[in-house]
Amino acid sequence: MSDPNLASTPIPPLAAKGSQRWLQLAVNHRPDLLDEPLRAAMGLAADVEVEWLSPLARQNYVEYRDGMTYDHLGVQLRRPSIDFWPNRGPMWDGLARLSTGDVLLVEAKAHIQEMVSNGTRASEPARAKIVESLRAVQRVLAPRADVDWAGTFYQYANRLAHLHFLREDNGVPAHLVFIYFLNAEDVGGPSERAEWIGAIKVVEGYLGLGRHRLSRYVHKVFVDVRELSGGDA
């Protein structure tokens, strides 16, 4: 199902491979492959509409970070983002808005190695702000954990921290959506959901995460890339 707005404008080339390419294809050419499992994962009614805000072909597949993220989502912050996180924070793979007014922060994965991230590479004083914010969220979501969230699996931790920032600090009806692609042979990705679920358990277990106050706002969506076109059209 292609976006009719794309017909009158030149379409930029897709990313070469991996989750970036597959998400670009899905958002712009088969959003139904995302929207239907997303509604199921979130328990939404069939008439709830999903408006994808990025990555859009007509915007050269731009991805957003920092204040541009919140501007693009159209949300108002009570707490300035710079008080929570230094500049050059997470670059979101995708952004979307629901007809209910809820907003979605999207992270996409096509192979398990993408889930393994090293610690923050920020230097001082940015690092100190990151560590302080992560520890504050960790005390709420994983109070018994004694690992450093700024270390191994830092990416997963900082995505959760930003969800907490929007919902708890700013009252924004935000959700964190992880899109896990199946059968991404271009990067040797998993063919079964069970492989992804096993990897997710490892990450969450390491970070000390069980059921927590934001669990209901974290969603997993699985999309088989064999249902997507492999071309640029």
Side-chain angles (χ1 to χ4, degrees):
M1 184 179 298
S2 299
D3 184 340
N5 293 325
L6 299 181
S8 60
T9 58
I11 299 176
L14 294 162
K17 63 181 181 178
S19 56
Q20 188 178 35
R21 177 184 178 84
W22 295 118
L23 186 62
Q24 289 172 356
L25 273 169
V27 166
N28 291 280
H29 301 284
R30 289 296 307 276
D32 56 301
L33 294 179
L34 300 173
D35 297 354
E36 292 175 12
L38 182 60
R39 290 189 191 95
M42 296 181 68
L44 301 174
D47 61 351
V48 172
E49 296 180 0
V50 182
E51 178 188 4
W52 286 95
L53 304 174
S54 74
L56 299 179
R58 63 177 178 268
Q59 296 175 356
N60 294 313
Y61 302 120
V62 66
E63 297 173 0
Y64 294 90
R65 73 189 328 165
D66 302 333
M68 291 184 67
T69 297
Y70 312 123
D71 290 344
H72 207 59
L73 288 170
V75 300
Q76 299 294 320
L77 301 181
R78 298 190 299 240
R79 178 186 179 189
S81 60
I82 197 64
D83 287 352
F84 165 71
W85 208 266
N87 288 328
R88 299 190 63 77
M91 182 81 78
W92 295 101
D93 294 333
L95 300 173
R97 184 167 48 226
L98 305 182
S99 56
T100 58
D102 293 45
V103 297
L104 311 182
L105 303 170
V106 178
E107 184 71 29
K109 304 295 182 191
H111 61 97
I112 288 174
Q113 289 85 347
E114 284 187 280
M115 299 184 71
V116 181
S117 59
N118 296 321
T120 177
R121 293 176 291 181
S123 56
E124 300 297 348
R127 179 183 173 83
K129 184 183 291 289
I130 290 170
V131 170
E132 178 185 10
S133 292
L134 286 175
R135 285 178 177 168
V137 175
Q138 185 178 359
R139 286 193 292 269
V140 174
L141 302 187
R144 298 181 181 178
D146 58 3
V147 298
D148 180 9
W149 274 23
T152 304
F153 301 127
Y154 163 69
Q155 187 191 71
Y156 192 96
N158 74 44
R159 270 43 174 186
L160 274 180
H162 280 76
L163 175 66
H164 184 274
F165 169 71
L166 285 178
R167 292 204 72 97
E168 302 295 316
D169 294 354
N170 291 282
V172 174
H175 301 255
L176 178 58
V177 178
F178 289 98
I179 297 174
Y180 298 104
F181 290 108
L182 298 170
N183 294 299
E185 295 180 355
D186 57 328
V187 289
S191 59
E192 301 290 339
R193 290 190 184 197
E195 297 175 74
W196 278 123
I197 291 171
I200 294 164
K201 287 181 178 179
V202 169
V203 174
E204 293 181 342
Y206 180 87
L207 295 173
L209 291 163
R211 183 76 183 175
H212 54 78
R213 65 189 295 168
L214 294 181
S215 291
R216 72 181 73 177
Y217 308 115
V218 180
H219 313 284
K220 306 173 186 68
V221 173
F222 300 90
V223 177
D224 194 327
V225 304
R226 293 176 299 184
E227 298 185 68
L228 288 166
S229 167
D232 293 1

